[in-house]
C-alpha cells in the first residue's frame, strides 16, 4: 500500500513545490529586520516547534503566491482580515507538520540522489534547457540561503506532498458511477418559461405620502448616510530613502574589492560521473565501484558503464554527463575536491560522498572570469544605496514608533524630526476606500476605538516590505439619518418596486394554481397576455435563460410520461418566472470517451482530497497543539 501511495505521488507535485518555494523566498530576501527571533515559537505540534521565522517565511510565500495570481491588483483587496489570514496560514503549517510526522512514521523519505535530480530538473535553474550551476548559486545568494537550507526545505516539502498526493491519489471512480455522472451532466430537459415582468405593474401603482412616510419611519436606517473618515499619515519608504543616498566612490571601490569573487563566473568543470549508491553494506558498494574503475582503466567506455550501472538515472541516460559545474554547485565537498583535483581527460578513483561512491571523469575546464569595476558599477551603486538606506530606515522606524507614541495626539513632532510630509486621504467608509484606504488593514485601524474615538496615533503599520505608515484621524463624519423630504423620491420608488414585484409573484402563483387543472401553459399564458417561450431541449450549461431559471429547471422532478411539471422562481430583477418541464432525457455516453475520462479524473480528485481532509482531521484530533498568537 505504501509503495502504491509513493508511486502515485511522484511527478508534477515536485515542480509545484519548487514554484511555490521560489515565489515565496524571492519576496522574503531582504526583510530580515522584521523577522522575530527565530527561536520564538508560534505553535507547538506534538512537541515540534513552529518558529516565528518559519511562519514569516510561509506568510511571505502565501502573499507572493496571491500577488502572482492577481497580477497588479492590490493584494489587500483579497485579504480583508489580516489576523484571520495569518491564523489560516498557521493552521495550514500545523497540518503540514502533522502530515510530515505521519509521513516519516510511515517510512516516506527522499534520497540524496533523488533530491539532487530534482534540483537539477528545476527550470528556474536552467540555461538553454540545461542545469546552470552558476544560476543556482546566484539564486541561493539572492535569497540568503545555503544549499543545505534549500535542500532541507525541499526535502520536507516533497515528503509532505508525497503523503498528501499519495492519499488523494488512491481514490477511484467505478465505470458505472462514471456513466451515471456523465449521463446527469449531459442530461437534456425540454423546457418552457412564462416570464412575468414586475416593470409592467409599476405604472398602475400609487404610493401616497402617508404610505411613504410610514415606510420611512419604520426603516430610517436604510436612509442614513454612511460613516466616513479621512486620515493623515506619515510614510516611511525604503525606496524613497534609497533615492536620497549620495554615492561614495571610495566605498564602491572597497565593496568591489571585498566582493570581487561574486562579480564574475567561478571556474567550472565539465564532469561526468557513475554513482553507486551505498546501502547498509557499504563494502559491497565500494567493491562494485572499484570493479567499475578497473574496467575503465582497462579501456572500457565510461559512458556505456554509466548508462548501465549509474544510480543517478537523471545523468545515466547521457553517459553520466553532469555538464559544467562550479565547485559550489557540486552539492558535496568530497565530490568537489575530487573533481577539482583532476586534470582534463582524467578519471578519478571511487570517491565517497553523502550520496554513495562516485567515479568522476573531467572532460573540460572553463576558467573563471571577473567582471571589471566599470561593468559592475551600476550594481554596486544599487547595493550601496540599499545598504545605506536600510540602516537609515531601521533607525527611523524606531524613531517614528517612539515619537508618535510619546506624542499620541499629533504627527507634527515626528514629521519635523524625521523630515517627513504629513499626507491626507479623501474620505472613505469602513468597507471601501481609494488609494491607501483600499487596504483593509488601514481601514480597520482608522475605524478602531484607539484611533477613531480616543484620538491617538496608530501603531507603525507595515504596508509592504520597506513601506511603513503611522496614521491618525483627520476628519470624522458620523452616520446621520437624512430627512424625509430629502429621500421622499427614493422611498416612493422603493415602495413601487416592492409592490410591483409582489404583483408579479401574485400573478405567477395564480398561474401555477390554474396549471394544476389545466396544463396547457401556452394557451393560459396567451389568455393572460403573458410572454411564453418554449425553449426546447436545454443542457445544464445552457445560457439561453436566466441562471436562476436553469437552477430551478434541473432541481424539478421529472414529469410522468405524457405529463408536465411546473414550478416558479423569483428572479434577481424582481420578475417572476413560471417554468414548465415537459421531458427529461439522460445523456448517452461511452465510458471510454474523453469527456467520461475527464469526469472520472475530476471526481477522483474530489474524492481523493475528501479522503485527505479526513486523514488530516484525524491527525489533528489526536494531536497536542499549542498556539502562541501573540508571537505572530
Amino acid at each position: 500500500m505504501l509503495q502504491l501511495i509513493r508511486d502515485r505521488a511522484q511527478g508534477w507535485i515536485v515542480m509545484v513545490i519548487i514554484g511555490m518555494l521560489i515565489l515565496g523566498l524571492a519576496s522574503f530576501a531582504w526583510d530580515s529586520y522584521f523577522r522575530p527571533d527565530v527561536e520564538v515559537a508560534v505553535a507547538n505540534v506534538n512537541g515540534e516547534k513552529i518558529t516565528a521565522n518559519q511562519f514569516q517565511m510561509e506568510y511571505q510565500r502565501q502573499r507572493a503566491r496571491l500577488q502572482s495570481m492577481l497580477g497588479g491588483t492590490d493584494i489587500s483587496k483579497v485579504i480583508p482580515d489580516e489576523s484571520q489570514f495569518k491564523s489560516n496560514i498557521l493552521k495550514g503549517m500545523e497540518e503540514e507538520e502533522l502530515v510530515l510526522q505521519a509521513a516519516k512514521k510511515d517510512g516516506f523519505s527522499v534520497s540524496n540522489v533523488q533530491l539532487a535530480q530534482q534540483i537539477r530538473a528545476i527550470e528556474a535553474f536552467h540555461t538553454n534547457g540545461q542545469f546552470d550551476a552558476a544560476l543556482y548559486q546566484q539564486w541561493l545568494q539572492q535569497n540568503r540561503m545555503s544549499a543545505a537550507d534549500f535542500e532541507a526545505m525541499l526535502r520536507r516539502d516533497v515528503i509532505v506532498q508525497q503523503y498528501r498526493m499519495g492519499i488523494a491519489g488512491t481514490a477511484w471512480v467505478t465505470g458505472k458511477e462514471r456513466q451515471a455522472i456523465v449521463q446527469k451532466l449531459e442530461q437534456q430537459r425540454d423546457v418552457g418559461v412564462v416570464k412575468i415582468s414586475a416593470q409592467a405593474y409599476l405604472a398602475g401603482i400609487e404610493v401616497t405620502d402617508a404610505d411613504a412616510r410610514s415606510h420611512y419611519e419604520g426603516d430610517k436606517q436604510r436612509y442614513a448616510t454612511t460613516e466616513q473618515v479621512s486620515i493623515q499619515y506619515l510614510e516611511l519608504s525604503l525606496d524613497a530613502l534609497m533615492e536620497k543616498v549620495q554615492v561614495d566612490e571610495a566605498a564602491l571601490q572597497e565593496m568591489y574589492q571585498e566582493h570581487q569573487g561574486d562579480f564574475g563566473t567561478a571556474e567550472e568543470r565539465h564532469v561526468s560521473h557513475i554513482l553507486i549508491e551505498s546501502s547498509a553494506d557499504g563494502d559491497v558498494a565500494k567493491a562494485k565501484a572499484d570493479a567499475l574503475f578497473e574496467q575503465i582503466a582497462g579501456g572500457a567506455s565510461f559512458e556505456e558503464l554509466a548508462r548501465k550501472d549509474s544510480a543517478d538515472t537523471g545523468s545515466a541516460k547521457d553517459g553520466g554527463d553532469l555538464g559544467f559545474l562550479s565547485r559550489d554547485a557540486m552539492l558535496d565537498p568530497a565530490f568537489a575536491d575530487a573533481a577539482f583535483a583532476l586534470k582534463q581527460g582524467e578519471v578519478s578513483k571511487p570517491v565517497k560522498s553523502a550520496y554513495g561512491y562516485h567515479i568522476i571523469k573531467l572532460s573540460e575546464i572553463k576558467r573563471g572570469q571577473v567582471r571589471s569595476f566599470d561593468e559592475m558599477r551600476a550594481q554596486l551603486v544599487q547595493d550601496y544605496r540599499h545598504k545605506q538606506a536600510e540602516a537609515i530606515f531601521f533607525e527611523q522606524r524606531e524613531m517614528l514608533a517612539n515619537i508618535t507614541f510619546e506624542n499620541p495626539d499629533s504627527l507634527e513632532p515626528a514629521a519635523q524630526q524625521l523630515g517627513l510630509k504629513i499626507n491626507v486621504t479623501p474620505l472613505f467608509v469602513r468597507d471601501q476606500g481609494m488609494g491607501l484606504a483600499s487596504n483593509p488593514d488601514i481601514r480597520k485601524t482608522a475605524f478602531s476605538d484607539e484611533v477613531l474615538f480616543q484620538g491617538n496615533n496608530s501603531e507603525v503599520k507595515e504596508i509592504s516590505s520597506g513601506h511603513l505608515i503611522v496614521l491618525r484621524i483627520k476628519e470624522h463624519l458620523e452616520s446621520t439619518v437624512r430627512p424625509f423630504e430629502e429621500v421622499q423620491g427614493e422611498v416612493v420608488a422603493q415602495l413601487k418596486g416592492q409592490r410591483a414585484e409582489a404583483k408579479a409573484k401574485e400573478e405567477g402563483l395564480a398561474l401555477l394554481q390554474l396549471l394544476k387543472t389545466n396544463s396547457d401553459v401556452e394557451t393560459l399564458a396567451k389568455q393572460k397576455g403573458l410572454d411564453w417561450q418554449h425553449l426546447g431541449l436545454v443542457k445544464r450549461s445552457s445560457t439561453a435563460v436566466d441562471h436562476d431559471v436553469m437552477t430551478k429547471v434541473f432541481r424539478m422532478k421529472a414529469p410522468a410520461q405524457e405529463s408536465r411539471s411546473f414550478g416558479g422562481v423569483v428572479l434577481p430583477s424582481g420578475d417572476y418566472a413560471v417554468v414548465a418541464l415537459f421531458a427529461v432525457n439522460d445523456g448517452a455516453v461511452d465510458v471510454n470517451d474523453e469527456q467520461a475520462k475527464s469526469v472520472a479524473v475530476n471526481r477522483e480528485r474530489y474524492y481523493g482530497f475528501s479522503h485527505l481532509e479526513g486523514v488530516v482531521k484525524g491527525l489533528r484530533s489526536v494531536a497536542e497543539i499549542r498556539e502562541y498568537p501573540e508571537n505572530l
Side-chain angles (χ1 to χ4, degrees):
M1 179 65 176
L2 290 179
Q3 186 58 48
L4 171 64
I5 290 174
R6 290 190 187 92
D7 291 343
R8 299 193 73 167
Q10 297 296 332
W12 62 270
I13 61 170
V14 174
M15 303 317 297
V16 173
I17 295 165
I18 296 303
M20 292 185 66
L21 282 172
I22 290 174
L23 184 64
L25 288 169
S27 69
F28 194 65
W30 79 272
D31 196 17
S32 59
Y33 181 79
F34 294 105
R35 300 179 196 170
D37 180 353
V38 295
E39 294 304 318
V40 172
V42 294
N44 191 292
V45 181
N46 291 331
E48 292 294 328
K49 184 189 295 184
I50 298 176
T51 68
N53 188 40
Q54 290 170 332
F55 174 81
Q56 284 296 325
M57 184 171 288
E58 182 62 18
Y59 171 76
Q60 293 293 346
R61 184 161 74 171
Q62 294 285 355
R63 286 184 66 92
R65 181 178 61 84
L66 284 173
Q67 190 65 68
S68 177
M69 292 168 60
L70 293 171
T73 305
D74 182 1
I75 190 173
S76 62
K77 292 181 179 179
V78 296
I79 308 178
D81 189 334
E82 183 72 13
S83 61
Q84 186 61 50
F85 180 63
K86 289 184 175 181
S87 177
N88 291 342
I89 290 174
L90 183 59
K91 290 290 190 296
M93 294 182 72
E94 292 166 358
E95 291 182 358
E96 182 175 290
E97 178 60 36
L98 288 170
V99 169
L100 180 66
Q101 292 174 13
K104 288 182 175 179
K105 182 179 179 181
D106 286 344
F108 283 77
S109 65
V110 178
S111 73
N112 290 333
V113 172
Q114 289 174 316
L115 197 64
Q117 290 172 348
Q118 288 166 2
I119 291 173
R120 291 177 60 80
I122 299 171
E123 291 186 2
F125 304 147
H126 284 192
T127 300
N128 297 325
Q130 297 293 321
F131 177 73
D132 187 330
L135 192 60
Y136 175 50
Q137 288 300 316
Q138 180 184 2
W139 183 87
L140 291 173
Q141 290 171 6
Q142 288 174 344
N143 291 281
R144 299 182 181 181
M145 294 189 74
S146 68
D149 289 338
F150 178 70
E151 290 173 25
M153 185 181 301
L154 177 58
R155 188 189 302 274
R156 173 192 173 97
D157 278 12
V158 170
I159 291 173
V160 167
Q161 293 302 325
Q162 278 184 348
Y163 188 89
R164 282 177 169 164
M165 298 307 297
I167 296 294
T170 57
W172 71 90
V173 173
T174 66
K176 186 175 182 180
E177 184 180 6
R178 182 190 307 182
Q179 184 173 17
I181 294 170
V182 176
Q183 284 177 336
K184 294 301 181 186
L185 288 176
E186 288 297 295
Q187 187 181 84
Q188 293 183 314
R189 296 194 165 206
D190 189 2
V191 179
V193 178
V194 178
K195 187 177 288 187
I196 304 168
S197 171
Q199 186 75 21
Y201 294 96
L202 279 176
I205 294 175
E206 295 290 336
V207 175
T208 65
D209 286 350
D211 287 343
R213 186 172 290 277
S214 175
H215 177 78
Y216 169 81
E217 293 295 337
D219 195 10
K220 280 187 175 182
Q221 285 305 309
R222 177 186 289 271
Y223 305 102
T225 61
T226 305
E227 182 182 23
Q228 299 179 81
V229 299
S230 68
I231 59 173
Q232 50 182 194
Y233 63 95
L234 298 178
E235 188 172 24
L236 187 61
S237 165
L238 180 65
D239 290 341
L241 291 172
M242 284 179 65
E243 292 178 2
K244 298 178 181 179
V245 172
Q246 298 297 314
V247 176
D248 184 334
E249 289 295 329
L252 295 184
Q253 289 285 354
E254 185 177 343
M255 287 175 62
Y256 178 76
Q257 295 300 325
E258 287 180 359
H259 301 283
Q260 197 170 26
D262 298 332
F263 302 142
T265 57
E267 179 178 315
E268 293 182 344
R269 299 200 159 203
H270 188 176
V271 294
S272 303
H273 80 143
I274 299 172
L275 172 65
I276 306 301
E277 277 192 285
S278 296
S279 59
D281 188 352
D283 291 339
V284 173
K286 177 64 165 60
K288 182 176 180 180
D290 286 338
L292 288 171
F293 176 75
E294 291 300 329
Q295 291 182 53
I296 295 167
S301 168
F302 182 98
E303 289 73 21
E304 287 302 321
L305 290 176
R307 290 188 183 93
K308 183 165 64 81
D309 294 298
S310 180
D312 181 359
T313 56
S315 66
K317 64 180 183 298
D318 298 321
D321 189 0
L322 295 173
F324 280 97
L325 298 175
S326 66
R327 175 180 283 273
D328 289 340
M330 290 184 174
L331 302 180
D332 186 275
F335 185 102
D337 289 343
F340 273 79
L342 293 172
K343 294 180 181 179
Q344 190 165 319
E346 288 185 338
V347 176
S348 75
K349 292 182 177 181
V351 178
K352 181 71 169 70
S353 78
Y355 306 101
Y357 286 92
H358 306 261
I359 303 169
I360 305 168
K361 178 181 178 179
L362 177 62
S363 302
E364 188 179 348
I365 298 174
K366 187 186 295 183
R367 301 299 179 187
Q369 295 181 337
V370 178
R371 299 173 69 184
S372 69
F373 174 82
D374 288 339
E375 291 177 304
M376 293 305 303
R377 188 179 185 282
Q379 182 62 49
L380 288 167
V381 168
Q382 180 73 8
D383 292 346
Y384 176 79
R385 282 182 168 162
H386 188 280
K387 182 177 181 181
Q388 298 299 315
E390 201 172 43
I392 297 170
F393 181 81
F394 297 154
E395 179 183 357
Q396 290 195 354
R397 181 194 188 282
E398 292 302 317
M399 292 177 64
L400 179 64
N402 292 335
I403 298 169
T404 53
F405 177 78
E406 292 166 0
N407 301 273
D409 57 351
S410 175
L411 296 177
E412 288 288 350
Q416 292 176 6
Q417 292 188 47
L418 296 175
L420 300 175
K421 176 186 175 182
I422 297 178
N423 302 289
V424 178
T425 70
L427 289 163
F428 58 89
V429 297
R430 289 179 183 268
D431 58 358
Q432 190 175 7
M434 300 291 289
L436 182 65
S438 66
N439 186 318
D441 192 38
I442 295 300
R443 296 197 303 271
K444 182 178 179 181
T445 301
F447 281 94
S448 67
D449 180 74
E450 182 176 359
V451 173
L452 181 59
F453 297 110
Q454 297 182 34
N456 293 327
N457 297 330
S458 73
E459 296 179 345
V460 175
K461 308 295 295 183
E462 183 181 5
I463 304 301
S464 60
S465 295
H467 187 191
L468 311 172
I469 73 161
V470 174
L471 65 88
R472 64 176 294 101
I473 296 298
K474 171 68 174 176
E475 185 180 4
H476 178 206
L477 300 182
E478 295 185 5
S479 174
T480 58
V481 176
R482 292 181 290 167
F484 175 74
E485 291 71 21
E486 182 180 328
V487 299
Q488 185 174 3
E490 294 178 35
V491 175
V492 170
Q494 184 182 3
L495 279 175
K496 280 190 171 185
Q498 289 178 352
R499 292 175 182 180
E501 290 172 12
K503 284 281 189 181
K505 183 177 181 180
E506 181 182 338
E507 182 68 27
L509 294 175
L511 179 57
L512 285 172
Q513 191 65 31
L514 289 173
L515 289 169
K516 289 181 178 179
T517 56
N518 180 3
S519 63
D520 188 354
V521 61
E522 183 175 2
T523 299
L524 288 174
K526 286 181 178 179
Q527 290 173 356
K528 290 178 169 288
L530 300 174
D531 179 33
W532 159 255
Q533 286 183 296
H534 185 195
L535 303 176
L537 293 171
V538 296
K539 291 184 177 181
R540 294 175 188 271
S541 57
S542 173
T543 58
V545 291
D546 299 272
H547 171 75
D548 298 81
V549 171
M550 293 301 296
T551 301
K552 179 68 176 179
V553 164
F554 280 89
R555 286 180 177 173
M556 292 170 64
K557 290 183 178 180
Q561 193 170 6
E562 303 299 326
S563 182
R564 301 172 179 183
S565 295
F566 299 99
V569 60
V570 177
L571 303 179
S573 62
D575 297 339
Y576 192 86
V578 173
V579 182
L581 177 60
F582 299 102
V584 175
N585 300 331
D586 282 340
V589 64
D590 177 353
V591 294
N592 294 314
D593 71 13
E594 290 304 315
Q595 183 185 24
K597 291 177 181 178
S598 176
V599 166
V601 168
N602 289 334
R603 184 52 61 103
E604 285 174 356
R605 186 177 295 132
Y606 170 77
Y607 287 162
F609 281 101
S610 295
H611 296 341
L612 177 61
E613 184 179 10
V615 169
V616 173
K617 283 183 178 179
L619 293 173
R620 181 178 277 277
S621 69
V622 297
E624 183 177 341
I625 300 175
R626 294 183 181 180
E627 294 183 355
Y628 309 99
E630 66 276 10
N631 295 333
L632 292 178

